């Protein structure tokens, strides 16, 4: 049986926009939500969807996020492009009669939409995690390296010319999610990237890509390198407390470049939650599945795809209990990486 999301996903972009108009014209006010601790792909996609809803569907739309925007590049992204995004705590949810979420799905749990509210619109490039047929409009999965690519197609289907700021946001969203079109990149990503390029503001882009960094950023990196352990093909590092959860992914990504490693795991705590980020450079492995299976028994939420994945888990108890919990997690991951029993070596000593 074809589900609603397959229906929509198979339509050309113009048909998707027409479907949005058919379903939602006449609604009063829309709120589009990113995933928590949003990355540029998520924010650009939300902004573009709000633009389509406002300009073509005729529903005034706003965008919001949960968690924090911590990475310097992401903070610069919001500031430089003047992205009109609010924190969900500053938003009166009862003022909206249309809800969308992008770059995640309702059941994944890493978004601030209350459980009582069902998203009317879900647009996400990650593999389908739930029956999107429960949403009036679900465009999920497909051949996309970024949700920003999907929304660029919507703009093109709607014949909407993006502002230089929105074009730059989408361009950077695609660039960041696909690591400069080198990771999980499909034809539509390249096509939209090229379509956006003449429309972006290159000076703004440069400001976003090369931001000033706070001192604590370098301290965090210092700790990350000091604590990293190398096990034959894996590197694992415990960041302790982090000042922003999205730095965990950044460190995991950076350490994944260490030669001869194919697994990189970083974790750090922020406000009684443990954030984990996994990078896998072996195409036969699936980071998303592995992190879900490994973290499942501990509650929280997990998600991702082939080469990158993340999870967050509740951290309870005293320091000793938390440390024991982290050791248990490391043991499980080492087993999954095939390096169980190895003592590992410090990244800073010659034995590594
Ligand atoms: Mn994405």
């Amino acid at each position: 049986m074809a589900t609603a999301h397959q229906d929509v996903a198979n339509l050309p972009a113009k048909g998707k926009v027409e479907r949005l108009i058919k379903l939602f014209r006449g609604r009063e006010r829309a709120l589009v939500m990113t995933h928590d601790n949003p990355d540029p792909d998520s924010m650009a996609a939300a902004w573009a969807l709000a633009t389509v809803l406002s300009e073509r569907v005729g529903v005034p739309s706003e965008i919001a996020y949960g968690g924090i925007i911590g990475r310097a590049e992401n903070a610069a992204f919001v500031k430089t492009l003047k992205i009109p995004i609010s924190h969900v705590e500053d938003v009166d949810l009862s003022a909206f009669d249309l809800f969308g979420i992008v770059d995640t799905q309702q059941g994944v749990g890493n978004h601030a939409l209350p459980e009582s509210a069902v998203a009317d619109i879900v647009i996400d490039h990650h593999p389908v995690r739930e029956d999107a047929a429960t949403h009036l409009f679900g465009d999920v999965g497909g051949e996309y390296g970024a949700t920003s690519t999907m929304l660029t197609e919507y703009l093109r289907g709607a014949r909407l010319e993006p502002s230089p700021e929105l074009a730059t946001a989408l361009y950077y969203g695609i660039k960041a999610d696909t690591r400069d079109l080198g990771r999980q990149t499909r034809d539509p990503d390249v096509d939209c990237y090229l379509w956006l390029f003449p429309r972006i503001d290159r000076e703004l882009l440069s400001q976003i890509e090369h931001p000033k960094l706070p001192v604590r950023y370098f301290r965090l990196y210092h700790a990350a390198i000091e604590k990293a352990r190398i096990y034959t093909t894996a590197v694992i590092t415990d960041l302790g407390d982090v000042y922003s959860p999205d730095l965990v992914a950044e460190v995991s990504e950076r350490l994944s470049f260490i030669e001869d490693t194919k697994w990189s795991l970083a974790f750090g705590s922020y406000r009684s939650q443990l954030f984990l980020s996994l990078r896998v450079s072996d195409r036969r492995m699936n980071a998303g599945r592995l992190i879900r299976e490994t973290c499942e028994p501990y509650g929280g939420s997990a998600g991702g795809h082939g080469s990158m994945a993340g999870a967050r888990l509740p951290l309870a108890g005293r320091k000793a209990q938390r440390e024991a919990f982290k050791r248990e997690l490391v043991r499980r991951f080492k087993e999954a990486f095939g390096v169980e029993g190895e003592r590992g070596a410090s990244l800073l000593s010659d034995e590594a």
Side-chain angles (χ1 to χ4, degrees), residues 35 39-42 102-104 124-126 145-148 173 177 305 308:
H35 56 69
D39 63 0
D41 183 37
S42 189
V102 293
D103 205 34
T104 182
D124 183 22
H125 70 118
H126 297 99
T147 305
S148 292
D177 254 39
H305 30 156
M308 52 200 285

Side-chain angles (χ1 to χ4, degrees), residues 39 84 102 105 111 114 116 120 141 289 310 312:
D39 63 0
V102 293
Q105 294 162 51
H111 57 79
S116 55
D120 305 281
R289 196 179 318 130
R312 62 176 180 191

